[in-house]
Amino acid sequence: MNGAESLVHTLLGAGVDTCFANPGTSEMHFVAALDRIPGMRCVLGLQENVVTGMADGYFRMTGKPAATLLHCGPGLANGLANLHNARRARSAMVNCVGDQATYHRPLDAQLTADTEGFARAVSGWTRTVARADEVGRDAATAVQAAMTSPGQIATLILPSDTCWDEAPGGPAAALPVPARPQADPHAVRNAARVLRERSNVLILLGGLALTEEAQALAWRIGQATGAAILAEMSNAKVARGRGRMQLERVPYPADLAIEALKPFTTIILVNSKAPVGFFAYPNKPSRHHREDADIVLLTRYEADPIQALTALADELGAGPAAIPDPGPRPDPVRGKPTPEGLAQTLAALMPENTVIADESVSFGRGFYKFTHNAPAHDWVHITGGAIGCGIPLATGASIGAPGRRVINLQADGSGMYTLQGLWTQARERLPITTIVISNRKYQILLGEYQGVGANPGRTALDMMDLGNPNLDWVKLANGMGVEAARTGTLEGVADLMQQSFASETPFLIEMEV
């Protein structure tokens, strides 16, 4: 057995059975091992940022890591943007990165790079394997590190000779995953005291505290105490729709966030952190909560929110509380596309248990308000602000949630970063509906220009314009093997959505706005 074979056997033994890949020469023995050893689903991405984004989406739906297969330092570097998003989402994944053979590296060949340096910027755990007989041990440790709560990126760098040399020790057994930390009883009692004694309290939910079960517990506590409840601005996955809380997020724009948080003199953090601005802006505070607000920690991101919220509800004597019905499902909207109209049409037509992969950027900031009365669904966000995640997230989520419709709400500019993900959707025959919001500009940057107090001139405006020539998303999708159509009306979007839902293959709608 060589090192590559011991790697595959170790990953499979630890429960890692999906590999998103864009391999090169240094990974050929890994590829050969995947051919010989059954059990690993291999999904090809045409660019590494698609590969890492797919692994992120996969974890968000399954709660278990996938492997990625990346080629040397530059291949890893190509995937860094979506590794940054995955790190912010606290997604678990195991990157297997090929590298120059140990004896070839000192010769400084063209692909030689500081692979560890690239990896450390986005990884919670990084190791370069020294010898073939250590591959299994290091792979088992990588999976253990990735699965340590709340989830993190583990990067295993494999010089090519560690994969082709014999590994007499063979694969390693799976290592135990550390238990998720429990809430400090003192923190629970302190939060209960605050909720009993104070008014104007906000419970801020994030990460693992946004599941349906955690929301139900938070709702009980809010109903018993009068506390308000919000979610963080960017979240890996939020359970939404009928039967779940009508939960809103801290707004993205600084002025709206400051206004929304102004009433609260106390903020209780549940797997979240105190809100700060996405960017700094002249003459505006970086912290968006009140200066005199008391920040009370119940649980950090890695802790178990179900245990903590259950203990808090018990401490308060907060009994069962029904979540209010959000009202009837809306009808589809007709006319020119607007954010509100698209959101209502989405709520009217999405199938039960849909997954929404949202990279609608500025167009979709208000979608939550108009989709509370949709069927139960999950909503996944761009978490780190590195655009180009939507198409890969949708692809990985579909692979991780077979049988569920995935709808990707996709801004046109950011969609061009990882357009190649459509090819993987076609290759894997995934039931994904992509709605491209085609305004032919970097609309978010026009808003940011105003936010920093600058006045754009012709050169600046040209840099935010995606026209001249216009992007043709129908032809782009067709070129990737995905059926597509264009419309400039919401009734057209509704008709095309319903058409796509009847198919088990991907479909793209270019919505001109």
Side-chain angles (χ1 to χ4, degrees):
M1 179 179 293
N2 64 24
E5 291 165 334
S6 74
L7 171 62
V8 175
H9 280 298
T10 300
L11 292 174
L12 288 169
V16 179
D17 58 11
T18 301
C19 179
F20 298 99
N22 186 269
T25 301
S26 57
E27 297 80 51
M28 286 299 100
H29 280 76
F30 190 170
V31 173
L34 291 170
D35 214 21
R36 290 191 293 269
I37 302 166
M40 184 75 72
R41 179 177 182 179
C42 299
V43 180
L44 180 62
L46 297 184
Q47 205 268 359
E48 292 89 348
N49 212 29
V50 174
V51 169
T52 54
M54 289 191 294
D56 182 10
Y58 177 87
F59 175 79
R60 296 198 203 187
M61 302 315 300
T62 64
K64 70 175 189 176
T68 70
L69 183 55
L70 306 169
H71 182 44
C72 293
L76 172 63
N78 279 342
L80 287 184
N82 276 330
L83 287 173
H84 167 79
N85 287 327
R87 182 176 70 88
R88 287 294 186 182
R90 296 165 187 86
S91 291
M93 73 175 73
V94 179
N95 294 320
C96 298
V97 185
D99 207 356
Q100 302 283 7
T102 55
Y103 58 84
H104 194 68
R105 185 176 179 82
L107 303 178
D108 195 28
Q110 283 88 338
L111 263 178
T112 304
D114 184 5
T115 308
E116 277 203 17
F118 293 150
R120 287 194 192 100
V122 291
S123 305
W125 181 97
T126 303
R127 182 174 297 174
T128 299
V129 181
R131 300 189 308 272
D133 62 358
E134 296 176 354
V135 169
R137 179 202 67 186
D138 290 348
T141 308
V143 177
Q144 181 189 51
M147 286 300 294
T148 299
S149 184
Q152 61 182 342
I153 296 166
T155 300
L156 188 65
I157 301 166
L158 296 140
S160 53
D161 54 328
T162 68
C163 288
W164 69 53
D165 285 349
E166 287 298 304
L175 297 173
V177 176
R180 189 167 286 158
Q182 304 292 285
D184 184 338
H186 296 289
V188 173
R189 288 193 289 271
N190 184 50
R193 178 186 59 78
V194 165
L195 286 162
R196 287 192 192 101
E197 296 177 358
R198 302 182 189 176
S199 56
N200 303 321
V201 177
L202 172 67
I203 299 172
L204 185 63
L205 306 178
L208 298 167
L210 290 166
T211 63
E212 182 175 8
E213 184 180 3
Q215 288 184 40
L217 288 164
W219 179 255
R220 283 173 53 188
I221 293 165
Q223 289 299 104
T225 62
I229 305 171
L230 284 173
E232 288 192 296
M233 177 179 61
S234 299
N235 302 285
K237 185 172 74 168
V238 185
R240 300 194 65 250
R242 197 167 300 278
R244 287 83 182 264
M245 282 183 59
Q246 296 173 44
L247 185 65
E248 291 292 337
R249 299 181 291 157
V250 175
Y252 172 94
D255 291 339
L256 294 181
I258 292 166
E259 186 65 26
L261 296 169
K262 185 189 296 184
F264 304 113
T265 54
T266 303
I267 301 176
I268 298 176
L269 304 179
V270 187
N271 295 71
S272 62
K273 71 176 185 180
V276 299
F278 208 91
F279 297 106
Y281 296 97
N283 304 313
K284 294 181 182 179
S286 290
R287 292 182 175 86
H288 286 171
H289 56 80
R290 294 166 52 136
E291 286 187 10
D292 61 348
D294 187 14
I295 307 301
V296 176
L297 178 68
L298 179 64
T299 46
R300 300 184 189 278
Y301 284 110
E302 67 272 15
D304 182 351
I306 304 300
Q307 176 266 335
L309 290 168
T310 300
L312 181 56
D314 291 345
E315 182 77 19
L316 291 164
I323 292 177
D325 187 284
R329 194 170 181 178
D331 293 323
V333 179
R334 302 178 64 84
K336 183 180 178 179
T338 62
E340 299 81 8
L342 177 59
Q344 289 179 42
T345 301
L346 188 68
L349 298 177
M350 75 165 75
E352 187 84 25
N353 217 22
T354 287
V355 179
I356 304 292
D358 185 2
E359 196 181 18
S360 55
V361 195
S362 55
F363 192 88
R365 287 177 184 160
F367 280 174
Y368 267 31
K369 178 180 178 182
F370 301 97
T371 51
H372 292 308
N373 50 2
H377 61 278
D378 288 317
W379 201 291
V380 298
H381 292 277
I382 177 172
T383 48
I387 63 175
C389 70
I391 293 172
L393 268 182
T395 309
S398 186
I399 290 169
R404 297 176 65 177
R405 172 62 50 176
V406 176
I407 299 175
N408 174 203
L409 304 173
Q410 182 61 59
D412 55 351
S414 56
M416 288 300 295
Y417 281 52
T418 47
L419 174 69
Q420 305 94 324
L422 294 174
W423 180 88
T424 302
Q425 293 178 14
R427 180 185 176 98
E428 299 291 327
R429 298 184 62 82
L430 300 174
I432 300 172
T433 302
T434 302
I435 302 175
V436 175
I437 300 157
S438 182
N439 59 14
R440 299 190 176 95
K441 59 175 69 76
Y442 287 130
Q443 182 64 43
I444 189 172
L445 295 183
L446 293 171
E448 293 299 322
Y449 226 113
Q450 293 177 337
V452 298
N455 295 311
R458 174 47 50 196
T459 299
L461 289 173
D462 283 348
M463 292 173 66
M464 300 172 203
D465 176 28
L466 302 183
N468 190 30
N470 288 334
L471 298 170
D472 189 329
W473 276 93
V474 173
K475 289 182 179 178
L476 290 168
N478 290 165
M480 297 285 172
V482 173
E483 188 178 357
R486 181 182 297 109
T487 183
T489 67
L490 286 170
E491 58 265 35
V493 171
D495 289 343
L496 291 169
M497 284 173 65
Q498 290 174 307
Q499 176 184 328
S500 74
F501 297 161
S503 171
E504 290 303 311
T505 55
F507 190 92
L508 182 142
I509 303 165
E510 182 178 8
M511 184 185 75
E512 295 180 310
V513 298

